[in-house]
Amino acid sequence: MTFIWPMLLLTLILVPLLLGAYLWLLRRRKKMAVSYANLALVKQAMKKGPSWRRHVPPALMLVALALMLFASARPVAIVQLPSNKQVIMLAMDVSGSMRATDVEPTRIVAAQNAAKAFLKDLPRHVRVGIVAFAGTAQVAQLPTLSREDLVTAIDRFQLQRGTATGNGIVLALATLFPDDGIDIGQMTWGKPQTKAKSLDDAAKEKKDVAPVAPGSYTSAAIIMLTDGQRTTGVDPMEAAKMAADRGVRVYTVGVGTTSGETIGFEGWSMRVRLDEDTLKQIANRTAAEYFYAGTAADLKKVYNTLSTRLALEKKETEISGIFALIAAVFAMFSGGLSLAWFGRVM
């Protein structure tokens, strides 16, 4: 905890001074009582109620004063608050492997349903964009507050050949940082893996990006849902490095099973398995988390967990109002007890 006006903490010295003054008044009152000629009247007056009661209201008022003086220094702490400027990019796999039925009814349908449930539970002030990727990546919906537009974009998904997981991440970054000079045009279908470096270098040639701590950018996050089996495009680890250098977390959600399934697609037959290792590496590189979704129910549960986590962000916030409120409560209790017990505000 830090303070905006730390010098005002010196005013807390008034608290022990007031406590000393109160104790001095009590002693002075006892000495005056001894000087009375009729000690019977003094004893009778002191039997009107428990002696501890008369100390409770002043004690509460002293605590209230200490809290108000503490609040005057304007304390600042790191707390979790709802984000009012957050953007979430959903990078969703629409490759042919998503037609596999190891997640009922199919991987793609389960992913679409889970994404819609995620949008429903997400706070309305969070903007969401969608990137769909297969052999190439494209922006299905720019970041928006309209949940209807997002649902429409999700329903329009059409499965295509290839899986360029790295392209999905890079295009999401280009949408989040349009001024960074990330050349989306270089992400053509079938580029060799080594082109990932030239893509990052080309972006930095236009605008130097000073690397920051991974996960330090709290205004945006990427959620990538895929089976993780990259077949073409940008190296996903190079794409993860680009995200990490900008502080953007890439949460990965693995849909499907590690045993996989053999599917037929446009005359081709292939075995599609969940590549958990790559998805875990992407999440770890960007200080995010990997989630396994083996069934449709697991997938929905993962998205519900993410919506809760991504709705909050940690930031420095002045909390003097909290201490002032507690001080007011103590002051009210002090006055209320004084009226109830003694018929007056002490």
Side-chain angles (χ1 to χ4, degrees):
M1 182 181 296
T2 58
F3 300 89
I4 298 177
W5 295 340
M7 290 298 294
L8 287 181
L9 289 175
L10 294 176
T11 59
L12 288 173
I13 198 172
L14 294 174
V15 176
L17 292 177
L18 289 173
L19 179 60
Y22 178 73
L23 295 175
W24 177 79
L25 286 174
L26 288 179
R27 291 180 181 178
R28 184 170 179 270
R29 190 174 179 182
K30 287 181 180 180
K31 290 181 180 180
M32 292 178 62
V34 173
S35 64
Y36 280 101
N38 194 342
L39 294 177
L41 292 176
V42 177
K43 292 181 181 180
Q44 185 177 357
M46 295 180 67
K47 290 180 181 179
K48 287 185 177 181
S51 60
W52 60 267
R53 283 189 177 182
R54 60 195 180 103
H55 302 304
V56 173
L60 292 175
M61 187 58 70
L62 196 63
V63 173
L65 177 62
L67 289 171
M68 285 188 284
L69 294 175
F70 187 82
S72 68
R74 300 180 65 184
V76 174
I78 298 178
V79 296
Q80 280 193 332
L81 295 174
S83 174
N84 57 5
K85 58 179 181 180
Q86 195 167 49
V87 180
I88 295 175
M89 294 298 300
L90 295 179
M92 301 190 66
D93 191 342
V94 294
S95 62
S97 59
M98 293 294 284
R99 68 174 64 247
T101 58
D102 51 358
V103 177
E104 295 182 353
T106 63
R107 293 180 182 180
I108 186 61
V109 172
Q112 288 173 310
N113 292 337
K116 293 175 186 177
F118 171 75
L119 294 174
K120 183 179 179 180
D121 294 336
L122 201 64
R124 300 293 296 186
H125 65 265
V126 178
R127 291 190 299 146
V128 180
I130 300 175
V131 168
F133 64 90
T136 59
Q138 61 182 350
V139 178
Q141 176 61 58
L142 289 170
T144 179
L145 293 175
S146 174
R147 302 303 188 244
E148 293 77 15
D149 291 347
L150 292 165
V151 170
T152 300
I154 292 171
D155 288 336
R156 287 201 304 260
F157 286 165
Q158 292 184 353
L159 300 184
Q160 305 169 29
R161 286 185 177 182
T163 306
T165 51
N167 289 34
I169 297 173
V170 174
L171 185 55
L173 290 171
T175 306
L176 291 172
F177 303 98
D179 298 329
D180 275 13
I182 300 175
D183 190 354
I184 303 174
Q186 294 192 35
M187 293 185 301
T188 57
W189 184 85
K191 274 191 176 292
Q193 186 170 344
T194 55
K195 290 296 182 180
K197 292 185 178 180
S198 63
L199 177 63
D200 196 14
D201 292 341
K204 292 184 178 181
E205 284 177 6
K206 272 197 169 185
K207 180 178 179 180
D208 292 333
V209 178
V212 298
S216 60
Y217 189 75
T218 58
S219 295
I222 298 173
I223 302 174
M224 185 172 68
L225 189 147
T226 178
D227 56 20
Q229 282 191 314
R230 171 207 178 234
T231 61
T232 186
V234 177
D235 182 355
M237 293 312 301
E238 289 293 333
K241 179 181 181 300
M242 293 176 64
D245 287 346
R246 290 163 175 80
V248 177
R249 286 184 168 92
V250 181
Y251 294 90
T252 54
V253 180
V255 55
T257 58
T258 53
S259 59
E261 181 181 292
T262 301
I263 63 170
F265 183 60
E266 295 183 356
W268 292 82
S269 178
M270 58 182 176
R271 188 77 177 176
V272 290
R273 296 182 177 87
L274 174 61
D275 184 5
E276 282 192 309
D277 291 339
T278 299
L279 297 182
K280 289 178 181 178
Q281 290 177 34
I282 292 172
N284 291 336
R285 184 69 179 84
T286 61
E289 293 181 67
Y290 164 74
F291 299 91
Y292 170 67
T295 66
D298 291 338
L299 191 56
K300 184 176 180 181
K301 188 186 303 181
V302 165
Y303 267 72
N304 290 338
T305 301
L306 283 172
S307 66
T308 302
R309 295 185 183 186
L310 294 174
L312 299 175
E313 65 174 344
K314 291 183 178 181
K315 57 182 179 181
E316 283 193 340
T317 305
E318 184 178 345
I319 56 175
S320 55
I322 298 176
F323 288 97
L325 176 61
I326 299 174
V329 171
F330 273 94
M332 286 190 293
F333 267 106
S334 174
L337 291 177
S338 183
L339 282 172
W341 290 342
F342 309 109
R344 68 181 189 276
V345 178
M346 297 183 68

